[in-house]
Amino acid sequence: MKFKLNYKQYSDFLNLTNDVFYPLKNFVTKNEFTFILKRKIFNKKFFPFPIFFGLSRNQFKKIKNKKNLILVYKSKKIAQIDKLDFFHISYDLFGKKIFGKNFVNHPYYKVFKKENHIFLNFNIKKKYKEQNLLKNFITPKVFKKKIKKIKLLPGFHTRNAPHAAHQWIHEYLFKKYGSLLIQPLIGQYKKGEYKDYYIMKTNQKAAQIIKSKKVFCLPFFSYPRYGGPRESALHAIVRKNYGCTHFWVGRDHAGYKNFYSKYQSQKFCKFFKKKIGINIISEKEPYYCKIYQRIGNNFKNISNKDKIFISGTKIRNYILRKKSIPKYMMSPKISNLLGYESLIK
């Protein structure tokens, strides 16, 4: 029987089977799921976020008595699987460990409950030849061959089109380490966010602006989990697997509104830095200074009224209102690539 994968399931499968989430190489079992939630460990190695294969109630009804399946994505055969093992886990345990005490109000917790009636672990009996179903996907193995002569490589994660503060970070990292990997997350699904095409196009432009063969831009095919500190650590592991030696963690990395405190993700990743196995860069958030009329994060004798913090939300609001984006917020080279059509409606 054929089973149609959705984008989340397929991107996770692609990442797991190509060592993007190493040491995890398959969807978690029930014991692995619980152990990662409670202990942040998989196979005696630090791993903060379970990568699971969830099924809706209707999907489960169709396959609950099957012994094997053929996984299909966009009408293409992906893999044959057998030894199907269905299991439940505590929604509240997941919510509390990932989203914190106020988890019941977290929107992704609600999505998590809705999408995952039951979970499935399986054996991958046969993988069919990759058919480039996600354009420009590059495996860690291939990318590491490309950068084998580079000794220091900082990674920058984003799920936005790059604004001026992002570009300041790019320049900061490039000047300090002599190279840079800009790796935007491709797989947005929220209304009002940028469409994937525009996220990739604008980040490629930001990489080109630096004008160096040691600046790379490649996609990270996944989706926002809004898991704050734990998801930030997962992002750090992904970049380590891609050969990065350093990783920039933002002010509210992988956060959502006020569910996590300011710099909580930075503190978490720095605390587990040795176990993650990558250097964590935890600088203060850059802002536009009215006095100096430029971006920075450490101007002296500046009051809060002289600071303008730039965010993706502010930029997208300009786009939604069809107003021009101020140059101090976003380079015209990038803003000219964006318009009302660049946002998910």
Side-chain angles (χ1 to χ4, degrees), residues 47-93:
F47 202 83
F49 208 109
I51 308 299
F52 51 82
F53 193 97
L55 298 167
S56 68
R57 191 182 294 272
N58 287 336
Q59 287 175 324
F60 175 59
K61 284 181 180 178
K62 291 176 183 178
I63 66 170
K64 64 181 180 180
N65 295 318
K66 302 297 179 182
K67 293 184 178 180
N68 50 67
L69 295 169
I70 296 174
L71 302 182
V72 176
Y73 184 67
K74 292 186 176 180
S75 302
K76 301 288 185 181
K77 291 181 181 179
I78 305 302
Q80 291 180 22
I81 63 171
D82 59 10
K83 298 180 182 178
L84 277 56
D85 179 30
F86 300 99
F87 63 91
H88 291 279
I89 65 109
S90 166
Y91 292 138
D92 287 359
L93 177 66

Side-chain angles (χ1 to χ4, degrees), residues 19 44 62 114 148-149 176 228:
D19 288 338
K44 298 181 180 180
K62 291 176 183 178
K114 182 180 178 181
K148 61 183 178 182
K149 292 183 180 179
K176 188 167 184 178

Side-chain angles (χ1 to χ4, degrees), residues 148-165:
K148 61 183 178 182
K149 292 183 180 179
I150 295 176
K151 292 182 179 179
L152 297 176
L153 179 64
F156 179 75
H157 170 101
T158 183
R159 61 182 188 226
N160 269 304
H163 51 61

